[in-house]
């Protein structure tokens, strides 16, 4: 197991280096923040722009800027925002918990719905329940997340006035954004659970378990579900990582104070430190999730550790 972990950790470190280099280079190709900061300031000379670049550290070579960023990454010092002067670490400290809470709530909604529905569809393969669940999942896949979010706001916030339309204030504010993302995720997860369960239910040990007189729920949830856990762990883990990166649209619709909103505002203002730190933190979290998925592989299936 130790060799397996070391190999995965070294791979993760390599990916971190590639991601941070790519992000740092791509962000600096988007434009000159000194020009953006002086828009509407009247007559600005090249000397003025150079002084701004020097004050922001933009006149240094790219590799020097990158190494400074990596040093700051270890000390959680990402510099200050170009626009407000606020330490970037404080902005991330405020935004990251909001995104994580929303992501966990969305995944919880999806898992709670998709696993029972996927098992029901597999057990009822070819019957009306299976057909209905598959049709509903296809309908769910057809909904763009921004459209579904807007419809929920119009219905439950504007029309019925049951839920707050935006912001993060109490349990009620989580319902619409979590349900929006949860429905989109469930549409895919139901099909995955159904496919995995169909393969598992045809195995000999399932027939033996039923022949021993075990209850159907014990057969399905203790034996079958556990033995098809690897593809589910894989997909749920990757899905959670993708959710962190793709949640920006939902955060904007619901004015959610998370990392997506922070990164979007940084793009609009070409706020390099905030944008670079936001993307890097999200990337590190996605890499961390993938690493945890690999470790879970080794814990669930000893064959993977041996390989």
């Amino acid at each position: 197991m130790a060799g397996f972990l070391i190999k995965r950790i070294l791979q993760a470190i390599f990916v971190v280096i590639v991601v941070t280099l790519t992000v740092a280079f791509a962000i600096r190709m988007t434009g000159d923040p000194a020009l953006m900061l002086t828009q509407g300031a009247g007559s600005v000379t090249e000397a003025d722009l150079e002084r701004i670049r020097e004050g922001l550290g933009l006149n240094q070579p790219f590799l020097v800027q990158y190494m400074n960023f990596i040093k700051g990454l270890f000390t959680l010092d990402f510099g200050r925002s170009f626009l407000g002067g606020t330490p970037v670490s404080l902005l991330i400290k405020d935004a990251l918990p909001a995104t994580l809470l929303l992501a966990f709530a969305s995944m919880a909604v999806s898992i709670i719905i998709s696993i029972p529905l996927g098992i029901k569809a597999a057990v009822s393969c070819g019957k009306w329940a299976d057909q209905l669940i598959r049709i509903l999942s296809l309908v769910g896949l057809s909904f763009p997340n921004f459209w579904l979010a807007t419809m929920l706001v119009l219905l439950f916030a504007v029309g019925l006035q049951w839920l707050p339309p935006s912001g993060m204030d109490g349990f009620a504010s989580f319902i619409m954004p979590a349900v929006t993302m949860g429905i989109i995720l469930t549409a895919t997860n139901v099909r995955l659970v159904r496919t995995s369960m169909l393969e598992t239910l045809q195995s000999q040990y399932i027939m033996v378990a039923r022949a021993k007189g075990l209850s159907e729920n014990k057969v399905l949830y203790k034996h079958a579900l556990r033995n098809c856990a690897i593809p589910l762990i894989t997909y749920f883990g990757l899905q959670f990582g993708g959710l962190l990166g793709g949640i920006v649209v939902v955060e904007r619709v619901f004015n959610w104070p998370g990392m997506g909103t922070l990164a979007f505002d940084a793009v609009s203002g070409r706020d390099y430190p905030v944008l670079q730190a936001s993307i890097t933190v999200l990337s590190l979290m996605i890499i961390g999730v993938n690493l945890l998925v690999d470790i879970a592989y080794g814990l669930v299936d000893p064959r993977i550790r041996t390989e």
Side-chain angles (χ1 to χ4, degrees):
M1 189 67 182
F4 175 79
L5 288 176
I6 292 172
K7 181 180 178 181
R8 291 296 184 267
I9 291 172
L10 290 176
Q11 290 175 346
I13 292 173
F14 175 75
V15 174
V16 168
I17 294 173
V18 173
V19 168
T20 52
L21 270 172
T22 304
V23 169
F25 180 76
I27 288 176
R28 279 156 181 76
M29 296 294 290
T30 60
D32 187 353
L35 293 174
M36 186 275 300
L37 291 172
T38 54
Q39 287 180 355
S43 178
V44 179
T45 65
E46 184 62 30
D48 295 330
L49 294 175
E50 283 299 324
R51 280 194 294 270
I52 293 174
R53 295 185 188 110
E54 183 178 357
L56 299 176
L58 299 175
N59 60 335
Q60 297 175 333
F62 169 75
L63 287 179
V64 174
Q65 296 183 49
Y66 174 73
M67 292 307 300
N68 289 335
F69 175 76
I70 294 298
K71 291 177 183 177
L73 186 62
F74 284 103
T75 60
L76 299 181
D77 181 10
F78 300 106
R80 292 180 175 272
S81 168
F82 284 174
L83 302 181
T86 306
V88 177
S89 57
L90 291 182
L91 297 176
I92 292 178
K93 181 181 177 182
D94 293 336
L96 185 58
T99 292
L100 288 177
L101 286 173
L102 181 55
F104 278 117
S106 302
M107 285 299 299
V109 169
S110 175
I111 291 173
I112 290 171
I113 297 174
S114 61
I115 289 181
L117 286 182
I119 293 176
K120 178 64 177 177
V123 173
S124 308
C125 182
K127 299 179 181 179
W128 69 267
D130 179 31
Q131 298 296 334
L132 178 61
I133 292 172
R134 292 170 67 184
I135 291 172
L136 290 176
S137 67
L138 183 60
V139 172
L141 284 172
S142 305
F143 289 150
N145 53 9
F146 64 87
W147 180 87
L148 182 58
T150 304
M151 292 300 102
L152 290 178
V153 170
L154 291 176
L155 176 61
F156 293 104
V158 178
L160 299 175
Q161 297 184 354
W162 289 353
L163 299 171
S166 62
M168 177 182 168
D169 185 19
F171 176 78
S173 62
F174 279 85
I175 296 177
M176 284 196 293
V179 168
T180 299
M181 295 302 300
I183 289 176
I184 302 298
L185 299 176
T186 298
T188 304
N189 292 343
V190 165
R191 290 173 170 265
L192 176 68
V193 174
R194 177 185 179 275
T195 302
S196 299
M197 287 295 294
L198 280 176
E199 295 177 0
T200 305
L201 291 175
Q202 297 172 2
S203 303
Q204 278 190 335
Y205 62 83
I206 296 298
M207 291 186 286
V208 171
R210 283 172 170 161
K212 290 168 66 175
L214 297 178
S215 66
E216 188 66 11
N217 282 338
K218 184 171 289 188
V219 170
L220 293 176
Y221 287 92
K222 183 178 180 180
H223 295 278
L225 184 60
R226 180 176 180 179
N227 282 278
C228 68
I230 285 186
L232 299 182
I233 290 173
T234 304
Y235 194 78
F236 288 159
L238 296 177
Q239 193 176 59
F240 183 78
L243 179 62
L244 292 175
I247 207 170
V248 58
V249 174
V250 173
E251 287 192 355
R252 291 300 294 176
V253 172
F254 292 103
N255 195 26
W256 195 261
M259 295 293 291
T261 300
L262 183 64
F264 184 88
D265 292 339
V267 170
S268 303
R270 289 180 182 164
D271 197 344
Y272 287 176
V274 175
L275 181 57
Q276 184 171 348
S278 300
I279 297 176
T280 301
V281 169
L282 289 175
S283 300
L284 290 176
M285 294 189 63
I286 294 171
I287 294 169
V289 169
N290 291 334
L291 179 61
L292 291 177
V293 169
D294 285 342
I295 294 174
Y297 272 5
L299 295 175
V300 172
D301 192 342
R303 293 172 299 177
I304 295 177
R305 296 199 301 267
T306 303
E307 294 172 359

